[in-house]
Tab-separated table of all heavy atoms in Angstrom:
chain	number	residue	atom	x	y	z
A	35	LYS	N	-1.300	15.021	0.474
A	35	LYS	CA	-1.130	16.459	0.253
A	35	LYS	C	-1.777	17.200	1.418
A	35	LYS	O	-2.887	16.846	1.848
A	35	LYS	CB	-1.785	16.847	-1.076
A	35	LYS	CG	-1.678	18.319	-1.422
A	35	LYS	CD	-2.937	19.077	-1.133
A	35	LYS	CE	-2.739	20.571	-1.197
A	35	LYS	NZ	-3.934	21.340	-0.907
A	36	PHE	N	-1.078	18.195	1.947
A	36	PHE	CA	-1.638	18.985	3.036
A	36	PHE	C	-1.822	20.429	2.588
A	36	PHE	O	-0.912	21.036	2.030
A	36	PHE	CB	-0.721	18.915	4.268
A	36	PHE	CG	-0.718	17.546	4.890
A	36	PHE	CD1	0.192	16.588	4.475
A	36	PHE	CD2	-1.662	17.196	5.843
A	36	PHE	CE1	0.178	15.309	5.015
A	36	PHE	CE2	-1.689	15.919	6.387
A	36	PHE	CZ	-0.779	14.970	5.971
A	37	GLY	N	-2.996	20.966	2.823
A	37	GLY	CA	-3.310	22.341	2.428
A	37	GLY	C	-2.699	23.351	3.386
A	37	GLY	O	-2.145	22.992	4.432
A	38	GLY	N	-2.821	24.622	3.014
A	38	GLY	CA	-2.185	25.704	3.763
A	38	GLY	C	-2.614	25.797	5.212
A	38	GLY	O	-1.780	26.023	6.107
A	66	PRO	N	3.342	19.404	0.394
A	66	PRO	CA	2.826	20.493	1.222
A	66	PRO	C	2.472	21.740	0.420
A	66	PRO	O	3.078	22.044	-0.597
A	66	PRO	CB	4.012	20.797	2.148
A	66	PRO	CG	5.219	20.456	1.324
A	66	PRO	CD	4.816	19.409	0.326
A	67	SER	N	1.467	22.471	0.924
A	67	SER	CA	1.188	23.834	0.446
A	67	SER	C	2.054	24.789	1.254
A	67	SER	O	2.775	24.376	2.159
A	67	SER	CB	-0.266	24.203	0.736
A	67	SER	OG	-1.132	23.672	-0.211
A	68	ALA	N	1.904	26.076	0.965
A	68	ALA	CA	2.571	27.109	1.772
A	68	ALA	C	1.740	27.328	3.041
A	68	ALA	O	0.549	27.019	3.050
A	68	ALA	CB	2.656	28.387	0.959
A	69	PRO	N	2.342	27.877	4.100
A	69	PRO	CA	1.536	28.136	5.302
A	69	PRO	C	0.346	29.052	4.994
A	69	PRO	O	0.491	30.099	4.362
A	69	PRO	CB	2.531	28.842	6.244
A	69	PRO	CG	3.884	28.442	5.754
A	69	PRO	CD	3.750	28.275	4.277
A	78	LYS	N	-2.279	34.575	4.091
A	78	LYS	CA	-1.538	33.392	3.625
A	78	LYS	C	-0.130	33.818	3.207
A	78	LYS	O	0.027	34.893	2.615
A	78	LYS	CB	-2.207	32.817	2.372
A	78	LYS	CG	-3.516	32.114	2.578
A	78	LYS	CD	-4.096	31.824	1.190
A	78	LYS	CE	-4.798	30.503	1.171
A	78	LYS	NZ	-4.998	29.988	-0.175
A	79	VAL	N	0.841	32.957	3.422
A	79	VAL	CA	2.206	33.286	3.012
A	79	VAL	C	2.281	33.553	1.495
A	79	VAL	O	2.994	34.448	1.046
A	79	VAL	CB	3.194	32.179	3.462
A	79	VAL	CG1	4.516	32.292	2.733
A	79	VAL	CG2	3.412	32.265	4.963
A	80	THR	N	1.518	32.801	0.704
A	80	THR	CA	1.526	33.036	-0.754
A	80	THR	C	1.137	34.488	-1.065
A	80	THR	O	1.767	35.147	-1.902
A	80	THR	CB	0.542	32.077	-1.453
A	80	THR	OG1	0.818	30.755	-1.019
A	80	THR	CG2	0.649	32.157	-2.966
A	81	ASP	N	0.123	34.993	-0.381
A	81	ASP	CA	-0.296	36.379	-0.626
A	81	ASP	C	0.766	37.363	-0.142
A	81	ASP	O	0.987	38.402	-0.771
A	81	ASP	CB	-1.643	36.656	0.063
A	81	ASP	CG	-2.770	35.885	-0.604
A	81	ASP	OD1	-2.831	35.903	-1.854
A	81	ASP	OD2	-3.568	35.247	0.099
A	84	TYR	N	3.429	37.419	-2.913
A	84	TYR	CA	3.038	38.230	-4.077
A	84	TYR	C	3.191	39.717	-3.758
A	84	TYR	O	3.713	40.501	-4.548
A	84	TYR	CB	1.569	37.951	-4.452
A	84	TYR	CG	1.341	36.710	-5.306
A	84	TYR	CD1	0.464	35.712	-4.891
A	84	TYR	CD2	1.967	36.556	-6.541
A	84	TYR	CE1	0.222	34.580	-5.670
A	84	TYR	CE2	1.732	35.431	-7.326
A	84	TYR	CZ	0.860	34.448	-6.882
A	84	TYR	OH	0.638	33.339	-7.657
A	141	ALA	N	5.975	33.509	-5.676
A	141	ALA	CA	4.894	32.771	-5.012
A	141	ALA	C	5.314	31.339	-4.675
A	141	ALA	O	4.948	30.804	-3.634
A	141	ALA	CB	3.666	32.757	-5.909
A	144	GLY	N	6.773	29.913	-1.242
A	144	GLY	CA	5.925	29.529	-0.108
A	144	GLY	C	5.939	28.036	0.104
A	144	GLY	O	6.152	27.528	1.215
A	145	GLU	N	5.735	27.274	-0.957
A	145	GLU	CA	5.717	25.818	-0.867
A	145	GLU	C	7.145	25.276	-0.744
A	145	GLU	O	7.386	24.330	-0.018
A	145	GLU	CB	5.117	25.144	-2.092
A	145	GLU	CG	3.767	25.389	-2.669
A	145	GLU	CD	2.825	26.434	-2.209
A	145	GLU	OE1	3.244	27.603	-2.216
A	145	GLU	OE2	1.667	26.127	-1.908
A	198	GLY	N	4.232	21.590	-3.365
A	198	GLY	CA	3.161	21.751	-4.344
A	198	GLY	C	3.262	23.043	-5.125
A	198	GLY	O	4.179	23.841	-4.920
A	199	PHE	N	2.354	23.216	-6.083
A	199	PHE	CA	2.052	24.510	-6.716
A	199	PHE	C	2.952	24.947	-7.870
A	199	PHE	O	2.577	25.785	-8.648
A	199	PHE	CB	2.047	25.591	-5.624
A	199	PHE	CG	1.507	26.947	-6.003
A	199	PHE	CD1	0.405	27.084	-6.849
A	199	PHE	CD2	2.075	28.110	-5.488
A	199	PHE	CE1	-0.107	28.346	-7.164
A	199	PHE	CE2	1.573	29.375	-5.792
A	199	PHE	CZ	0.475	29.483	-6.631
A	211	PHE	N	1.185	26.713	-11.002
A	211	PHE	CA	-0.178	26.432	-11.463
A	211	PHE	C	-1.038	27.604	-11.003
A	211	PHE	O	-0.550	28.519	-10.342
A	211	PHE	CB	-0.700	25.143	-10.815
A	211	PHE	CG	-0.004	23.900	-11.301
A	211	PHE	CD1	0.907	23.232	-10.501
A	211	PHE	CD2	-0.285	23.395	-12.567
A	211	PHE	CE1	1.540	22.080	-10.946
A	211	PHE	CE2	0.347	22.245	-13.023
A	211	PHE	CZ	1.265	21.595	-12.209
A	212	SER	N	-2.348	27.554	-11.306
A	212	SER	CA	-3.201	28.623	-10.795
A	212	SER	C	-3.391	28.430	-9.290
A	212	SER	O	-2.991	27.389	-8.740
A	212	SER	CB	-4.543	28.637	-11.531
A	212	SER	OG	-5.156	27.382	-11.421
A	213	ARG	N	-3.977	29.408	-8.631
A	213	ARG	CA	-4.104	29.374	-7.176
A	213	ARG	C	-4.758	28.071	-6.699
A	213	ARG	O	-5.657	27.552	-7.352
A	213	ARG	CB	-4.926	30.577	-6.667
A	213	ARG	CG	-4.276	31.930	-6.875
A	213	ARG	CD	-2.949	32.108	-6.196
A	213	ARG	NE	-2.926	31.910	-4.754
A	213	ARG	CZ	-3.051	32.872	-3.842
A	213	ARG	NH1	-3.238	34.114	-4.236
A	213	ARG	NH2	-2.971	32.603	-2.560
A	214	GLY	N	-4.287	27.586	-5.595
A	214	GLY	CA	-4.800	26.312	-5.078
A	214	GLY	C	-4.168	25.117	-5.768
A	214	GLY	O	-4.598	23.982	-5.599
A	215	GLY	N	-3.115	25.369	-6.550
A	215	GLY	CA	-2.550	24.351	-7.436
A	215	GLY	C	-1.779	23.224	-6.765
A	215	GLY	O	-1.402	22.260	-7.437
A	216	SER	N	-1.554	23.297	-5.464
A	216	SER	CA	-0.869	22.170	-4.814
A	216	SER	C	-1.704	20.899	-4.911
A	216	SER	O	-1.160	19.792	-4.901
A	216	SER	CB	-0.594	22.473	-3.339
A	216	SER	OG	0.232	23.591	-3.231
A	217	ASP	N	-3.016	21.054	-5.005
A	217	ASP	CA	-3.900	19.896	-5.226
A	217	ASP	C	-3.498	19.165	-6.506
A	217	ASP	O	-3.579	17.937	-6.583
A	217	ASP	CB	-5.358	20.350	-5.417
A	217	ASP	CG	-6.020	20.756	-4.111
A	217	ASP	OD1	-5.523	20.377	-3.048
A	217	ASP	OD2	-7.054	21.455	-4.188
A	218	ILE	N	-3.110	19.940	-7.518
A	218	ILE	CA	-2.723	19.339	-8.806
A	218	ILE	C	-1.401	18.589	-8.627
A	218	ILE	O	-1.248	17.453	-9.076
A	218	ILE	CB	-2.574	20.410	-9.920
A	218	ILE	CG1	-3.804	21.305	-9.978
A	218	ILE	CG2	-2.283	19.773	-11.262
A	218	ILE	CD1	-3.691	22.468	-10.953
A	275	HIS	N	-9.017	21.724	-6.221
A	275	HIS	CA	-8.791	22.449	-7.481
A	275	HIS	C	-9.411	21.656	-8.644
A	275	HIS	O	-9.269	20.430	-8.708
A	275	HIS	CB	-7.289	22.615	-7.691
A	275	HIS	CG	-6.927	23.561	-8.797
A	275	HIS	ND1	-7.188	23.296	-10.116
A	275	HIS	CD2	-6.348	24.780	-8.768
A	275	HIS	CE1	-6.761	24.305	-10.856
A	275	HIS	NE2	-6.249	25.222	-10.052
B	29	LIG	N1	-0.205	28.341	-1.899
B	29	LIG	C1	-0.900	28.402	-3.130
B	29	LIG	C2	-2.154	29.252	-2.985
B	29	LIG	O1	-2.368	29.858	-1.949
B	29	LIG	C3	-1.191	27.066	-3.698
B	29	LIG	C4	-1.947	26.128	-2.797
B	29	LIG	O2	-2.091	26.384	-1.617
B	29	LIG	O3	-2.432	25.113	-3.301
B	29	LIG	O4	-2.903	29.341	-3.898
Side-chain angles (χ1 to χ4, degrees):
K35 180 259 168 181
F36 291 90
S67 279
K78 288 171 143 198
V79 164
T80 309
D81 291 314
Y84 278 124
E145 304 6 56
F199 191 38
F211 291 106
S212 56
R213 294 300 303 266
S216 299
D217 284 341
I218 309 174
H275 191 293

